[in-house]
Amino acid sequence: MCLKALCRLACLWLFTSASTALGQLEEDFSDGDLVQNPSWEGDLSYFAVNSAGELQLMAPQAGFSVLAVKVDIPDSALWQIDIRLAFAPSANNLLRIYLMADQPNLLQASGYYLEIGENGNADAIRFFRQTGAARTLLSSGTPGLVAFDPVAIRLQVRRSTAGLWSIAARKPSGGYSAEGSATDAAFSLGAGRYFGFYCLYTETRRDKFFFDNISIRPDIPDTQPPILLSASAGADGEGVLLTFNEELDTLSALEPAHYAVIGQPPVLSAQFAGRSDQVYLQLAHPLSTGSYEVQCQQVADLAGNVSGLQSAFFSFVRMELAQEFDILINEIMADPTPSAGLPEVEWVELHNRSQRIVDLSTLYISDGGTPRQLPAFLLYPDSFAVLTTMAGAGALAPYAPNVLAVSGFPSLNNTGDTLLLLNADDQVLERVSYSSGWHTDQNKREGGWSLERINPNLPCLGRENWTSCPILPGGTPGRQNAAFRNTSDTTPPRLLAVFPLSDREIELSFSEPIERTAISVSGAFGIFPPHPTGAAVVSATQRHIAILTLPLPLDSSVVYQIWATPVLSDCAGNPLHPTDTFFVGIPQVPEPFDIVVNEVLFNPETFGSDFVELYNRSEKIFNLSHFFIANFYDGSAVQRIGLRRLFLPQEYLVFTPNPEDIRTRFARVRAENLFSLALPSLPDNAGNVTVFWAKDGREVVVDSFVYFDTYHNALLNASQREGVSLERIRVEGATNDPANWTSAAQIAGSKGTPTQPNSQRLGRTSTTAKWLQLAKDRLSPDGDGYEDFLDIWLQLPGPGYAATVIVFDGDGTPVRYLLRHQVVGQEAALRWDGDAEDGTIARPGIYLLHGEAFSPQGVVLRERLPFAVVRRF
């Protein structure tokens, strides 16, 4: 204990020993009680201790209230009290502080009080003597000192044995100012006296009076200089807070030359820190992390006692705000059951890979829900912390250092989730979208094993930088990962997708996060036909996404090529792969027949998957987000495509529940045009594929194909049709014309052409200008994809004709009736697969196609066209 404190205790003991009737009052309302220790009297129900630990007036309506406490007041006394009035005082809203009264009924007592409140702007602290109902003004302080809203002061009143009163006040910043003095000994102090408050208030001020830190004690002469008790650095390291054992003289305390921080430049300034026993030193340069010594001298207290040289020691830890990738999500235990040795609780490990010391309470964790603040904890460079639930922290603590319980810790999905680490401004500092598929050991996907980041020095990498924990007990919480390897990243990033957000904004998706500094550099992107590119920024939440803003809108009728250049790089400095080019344009609303159903596999092989191929036969661009595939043949089954992808002119897109199966079974499949979609059920014998667009209450049926298994090549029996897709012959032909569909050619073991032009496609070409036409004058019905059928066109001079079309062999024998006096349109298409009426395959040779057409007016048209059936070996 310091010498000065010992002296004061000795004096106080002597004083109280000599007169046991004399005592002290120390009341800071920390116990929240007004009835005991000490016991207050008066309008108790009108006062309460608020959540800030202050005594607060809480009157129900306008009026006045009195509160008093009995206390023995020594003849030489010191009063101190904090007053706060949340209004500008007036004659109708005023406060009296009774320093001494001879009874608890303060308004009728004899004694002394201070008054705050009068009309006008000259409000001062006034000191009165009261004798019953009579009162006498003894002194008045600085005009206007308490005339403003709010009033917040600390009062200090001294009274000597001879009756000399001195009043001082100070505001939250600054020292004490003298606010009056008087000599009056009309009433003596001593035992059985009262201290208290009288509050006069209107309706709007009935809860605006606040009191705290009341002290009444003997005024023992101060002969000791102030003592420096402690020093502490400010949170930002730009200043040092000094705390003394008593209030200081303003002039000496605020002189910068009286202070020095060893090893630092001279102190810039010294200021009171809200109270006159604390001084804040403003430094010329911020402190670095370390230990320091501060010295002071020639600092005086209010009694004029001047200190000599004093020292205090303090430490400072420079805590900095985390930047992107400073703090990493380094290990994830999403599925702790069944345990491989660790407690069955979910947890996430953080690793500080930076040189900053970070207070984790500045960070938040989220899996897409409300971000949860992390607890206060200093995470030093190259150190770890483990986040878990409030309930799980105790179970995990024996297995890991620095286990922190997070209130509202997100529940981690076993199969996959997206974890975000954010700062207070909702900026994403780290993002990990993990899945159970990231486990490199199949057996560890069932639970009990963590996912570990392999190299934290490659923060931009995704799945390729994660692996299953390789050692028991299934994870390494709170320490370096067992899977750690200081590998290098030499893989260039790729441009994966491009999508228009509007006619002036384009979203670009990359294979990994892109270095922010290069994204807006001139020449980072190119467009053809030439179009100004403007500026680009990396997405605030997903660093592998960039938004390119164009100064001029795109033309809705143009398909543009867009590419990124090697000016861009990933976090490891690898330049972008230079060959990635994509097409982009402004999506339009489709019209019927803009898109057609082009190929369907509705009868796959055992364990195989259905697919539907669509072809954009227009010159328009469409947004697949608003398209649906349905089967309306027997009931209603609808599946939304919902892909955030453009459908470009002359592009083939395939949808299937199992893309991997389609890639395995068919040749030359373009993976970028193959999409996973839970198709409506497509029965083997008959069904419907309807494609429609719907948005904002508007709907357009683009194409609808009703299929039957009989549309397959007639030469294929039921078992041979299994796994063979049905292909459209002409994209401009009618969708539901049976002659416009046939079995896919079986070439090199592939029974369809998903994502490729159809093997059986034909253009509308002709060898004659007659009403009955052949695309070619031969067929080779061997299923090799080359001239497998005879393509026949009817082009009649008017409507209403009925036609008969027959295939004859070289002996004049009918082989196959294609039409039997059937009404046809002005244009019609037929297909002969080379099958005879009895189901056999026509033999090679010369054949004759005979046609007759009859109009309602009796016009008769006849045509005979020779052709050949050939075999190829």
Side-chain angles (χ1 to χ4, degrees):
M1 183 177 292
C2 67
L3 178 61
K4 182 170 184 176
L6 286 172
C7 292
R8 286 198 168 181
L9 277 176
C11 291
L12 180 60
W13 179 81
L14 289 172
F15 186 89
T16 55
S17 300
S19 178
T20 55
L22 300 179
Q24 310 184 87
L25 173 66
E26 298 288 342
E27 173 71 294
D28 62 5
F29 305 103
S30 58
D31 60 359
D33 183 31
L34 299 180
V35 177
Q36 297 179 349
N37 300 318
S39 178
W40 292 82
E41 303 177 41
D43 300 317
L44 288 176
S45 62
Y46 288 10
F47 291 86
V49 179
N50 62 25
S51 59
E54 301 171 300
L55 178 65
Q56 181 178 357
L57 176 68
M58 300 290 283
Q61 58 193 15
F64 69 89
S65 300
V66 173
L67 193 67
V69 61
K70 190 174 184 179
V71 60
D72 296 343
I73 304 177
D75 285 337
S76 177
L78 172 66
W79 290 261
Q80 291 180 311
I81 180 172
D82 289 338
I83 304 293
R84 184 163 65 90
L85 306 177
F87 57 89
S90 67
N92 297 319
N93 291 281
L94 60 81
L95 169 67
R96 292 180 186 172
I97 303 122
Y98 279 83
L99 303 172
M100 187 281 288
D102 61 0
Q103 61 172 293
N105 185 357
L106 301 180
L107 295 180
Q108 300 298 320
S110 294
Y112 301 94
Y113 67 83
L114 300 173
E115 183 172 277
I116 298 175
E118 56 184 304
N119 290 329
N121 295 323
D123 296 46
I125 298 174
R126 295 184 293 168
F127 180 44
F128 290 88
R129 180 181 67 239
Q130 177 178 303
T131 307
R135 63 178 190 158
T136 303
L137 178 64
L138 300 178
S139 74
S140 184
T142 305
L145 179 72
V146 288
F148 301 101
D149 179 5
V151 173
I153 55 173
R154 180 165 178 79
L155 290 173
Q156 180 174 276
V157 180
R158 280 188 164 88
R159 198 260 198 188
S160 70
T161 305
L164 174 62
W165 297 82
S166 60
I167 302 160
R170 70 171 176 84
K171 295 183 177 180
S173 60
Y176 280 101
S177 61
E179 296 299 328
S181 63
T183 299
D184 191 292
F187 304 117
S188 63
L189 307 183
R193 301 296 190 263
Y194 288 85
F195 169 86
F197 308 107
Y198 164 76
C199 304
L200 176 67
Y201 44 85
T202 60
E203 176 66 24
T204 58
R205 306 290 187 257
R206 58 187 175 84
D207 59 352
K208 301 295 189 296
F209 293 71
F210 302 86
F211 312 94
D212 204 358
N213 300 316
I214 302 170
S215 171
I216 305 174
R217 60 176 182 265
D219 186 20
I220 300 172
D222 182 4
T223 61
Q224 300 296 320
I227 297 173
L228 176 60
L229 299 178
S230 65
S232 60
D236 55 7
E238 295 182 353
V240 180
L241 179 66
L242 306 183
T243 301
F244 293 83
N245 68 327
E246 61 178 317
E247 295 177 305
L248 304 177
D249 164 66
T250 302
L251 187 63
S252 64
L254 303 188
E255 173 52 57
H258 291 170
Y259 307 93
V261 178
I262 304 303
Q264 297 295 305
V267 172
L268 289 180
S269 66
Q271 302 172 356
F272 283 127
R275 37 191 273 199
S276 59
D277 61 349
Q278 288 188 329
V279 178
Y280 181 78
L281 307 181
Q282 182 69 43
L283 304 180
H285 298 300
L287 299 171
S288 301
T289 298
S291 297
Y292 295 88
E293 178 185 0
V294 63
Q295 295 180 344
C296 71
Q297 59 184 335
Q298 300 180 36
V299 177
D301 61 16
L302 297 179
N305 303 301
V306 180
S307 72
L309 181 65
Q310 300 184 79
S311 295
F313 295 88
F314 66 95
S315 296
F316 174 69
V317 176
R318 175 162 291 285
M319 291 179 290
E320 299 180 73
L321 294 178
Q323 304 300 311
E324 186 179 37
F325 298 143
D326 279 354
I327 310 297
L328 295 185
I329 295 171
N330 199 52
E331 190 173 1
I332 302 169
M333 179 65 86
D335 185 6
T337 306
S339 170
L342 291 173
E344 294 185 354
V345 297
E346 297 177 352
W347 50 268
V348 169
E349 178 191 82
L350 301 184
H351 172 51
N352 185 351
R353 62 183 291 270
S354 74
Q355 295 304 308
R356 297 180 173 91
I357 300 172
V358 177
D359 183 352
L360 291 185
S361 66
T362 62
L363 303 180
Y364 297 76
I365 191 170
S366 170
D367 66 344
T370 301
R372 301 296 181 178
Q373 186 176 18
L374 304 188
F377 181 82
L378 296 185
L379 192 61
Y380 285 79
D382 197 28
S383 61
F384 303 86
V386 180
L387 311 180
T388 187
T389 62
M390 304 295 285
L396 195 58
Y399 298 85
N402 303 334
V403 176
L404 306 177
V406 179
S407 177
F409 183 75
S411 177
L412 307 180
N413 297 332
N414 293 351
T415 56
D417 213 339
T418 296
L419 295 177
L420 304 174
L421 205 61
L422 309 101
N423 62 17
D425 296 326
D426 288 332
Q427 294 174 325
V428 177
L429 306 182
E430 161 75 323
R431 175 191 180 96
V432 176
S433 296
Y434 73 89
S435 75
S436 58
W438 283 18
H439 276 287
T440 48
D441 186 331
Q442 284 279 101
N443 297 325
K444 295 179 179 179
R445 296 181 182 181
E446 301 305 316
W449 295 84
S450 70
L451 281 169
E452 291 191 338
R453 189 188 289 266
I454 298 170
N455 188 355
N457 296 317
L458 301 175
C460 287
L461 295 184
R463 176 176 182 171
E464 63 271 30
N465 199 26
W466 289 80
T467 187
S468 306
C469 176
I471 64 172
L472 288 170
T476 55
R479 57 186 186 275
Q480 186 181 75
N481 289 345
F484 171 79
R485 294 195 307 276
N486 194 17
T487 55
S488 59
D489 175 15
T490 59
T491 304
R494 304 292 300 266
L495 179 60
L496 298 181
V498 173
F499 192 83
L501 303 178
S502 69
D503 60 359
R504 288 178 180 264
E505 285 189 319
I506 299 175
E507 181 184 275
L508 304 104
S509 301
F510 297 89
S511 59
E512 58 179 301
I514 298 298
E515 185 60 44
R516 293 182 186 273
T517 55
I519 198 74
S520 60
V521 173
S522 176
F525 300 96
I527 298 181
F528 185 84
H531 191 95
T533 56
V537 294
V538 173
S539 167
T541 57
Q542 303 181 67
R543 254 192 84 166
H544 67 285
I545 301 292
I547 308 299
L548 178 61
T549 301
L550 306 175
L552 298 175
L554 297 175
D555 188 331
S556 61
S557 64
V558 176
V559 177
Y560 295 88
Q561 283 182 288
I562 186 168
W563 61 92
T565 71
V567 169
L568 302 180
S569 64
D570 61 16
C571 298
N574 299 304
L576 188 82
H577 197 285
T579 62
D580 299 326
T581 300
F582 288 85
F583 294 94
V584 71
I586 304 304
Q588 300 182 49
V589 176
E591 298 179 26
F593 214 48
D594 279 347
I595 296 170
V596 295
V597 179
N598 197 56
E599 187 175 358
V600 182
L601 177 59
F602 51 82
N603 184 13
E605 294 176 322
T606 304
F607 304 117
S609 182
D610 296 342
F611 74 75
V612 171
E613 180 184 78
L614 305 181
Y615 175 68
N616 183 355
R617 61 183 295 275
S618 75
E619 296 301 321
K620 304 172 187 175
I621 300 170
F622 305 110
N623 181 357
L624 287 174
S625 300
H626 309 301
F627 281 87
F628 298 78
I629 295 179
N631 182 354
F632 294 138
Y633 183 75
D634 186 12
S636 176
V638 179
Q639 181 63 47
R640 180 174 183 170
I641 295 177
L643 289 177
R644 201 164 178 269
R645 198 237 194 227
L646 297 180
F647 197 176
L648 301 173
Q650 287 76 61
E651 191 171 35
Y652 299 88
L653 301 183
V654 172
F655 304 92
T656 176
N658 190 345
E660 183 60 32
D661 177 72
I662 302 304
R663 282 193 294 267
T664 302
R665 294 180 188 271
F666 297 92
R668 301 184 304 279
V669 175
R670 299 182 62 183
E672 67 272 19
N673 286 8
L674 183 64
F675 302 98
S676 177
L677 185 68
L679 293 172
S681 177
L682 301 177
D684 293 349
N685 59 335
N688 164 249
V689 178
T690 295
V691 181
F692 66 93
W693 175 95
K695 183 182 178 184
D696 300 332
R698 183 180 176 186
E699 185 176 303
V700 177
V701 175
V702 183
D703 198 18
S704 184
F705 171 45
V706 178
Y707 67 83
F708 297 92
D709 60 349
T710 56
Y711 286 7
H712 274 290
N713 190 310
L715 300 177
L716 300 178
N717 60 36
S719 63
Q720 292 172 325
R721 295 172 184 173
E722 189 174 277
V724 179
S725 67
L726 198 61
E727 291 188 338
R728 190 185 194 109
I729 297 172
R730 298 181 184 84
V731 294
E732 72 275 6
T735 296
N736 288 299
D737 180 359
N740 201 26
W741 294 88
T742 189
S743 306
Q746 300 185 42
I747 306 172
S750 187
K751 300 179 181 181
T753 56
T755 74
Q756 299 287 338
N758 289 347
S759 63
Q760 303 286 20
R761 73 189 187 283
L762 286 177
R764 186 172 176 178
T765 58
S766 173
T767 59
T768 176
K770 301 176 182 180
W771 71 271
L772 187 64
Q773 307 170 14
L774 294 177
K776 290 187 177 180
D777 57 3
R778 62 184 181 276
L779 75 155
S780 172
D782 53 11
D784 65 355
Y786 183 75
E787 298 180 349
D788 280 344
F789 55 88
L790 191 69
D791 193 37
I792 307 163
W793 276 93
L794 283 71
Q795 193 165 17
L796 296 162
Y801 278 82
T804 297
V805 179
I806 308 170
V807 176
F808 290 90
D809 63 15
D811 297 328
T813 302
V815 175
R816 186 75 164 87
Y817 286 86
L818 301 178
L819 289 178
R820 294 176 183 266
H821 201 71
Q822 182 175 328
V823 176
V824 294
Q826 282 188 263
E827 292 187 359
L830 299 175
R831 187 191 77 234
W832 183 45
D833 294 328
D835 57 319
E837 288 291 326
D838 61 3
T840 61
I841 301 176
R843 297 187 303 273
I846 301 301
Y847 287 74
L848 189 69
L849 185 68
H850 173 78
E852 293 183 349
F854 307 89
S855 75
Q857 294 79 26
V859 177
V860 179
L861 304 176
R862 292 186 176 87
E863 196 65 66
R864 293 185 177 184
L865 302 175
F867 65 93
V869 175
V870 299
R871 288 284 188 270
R872 300 186 183 276
F873 302 97

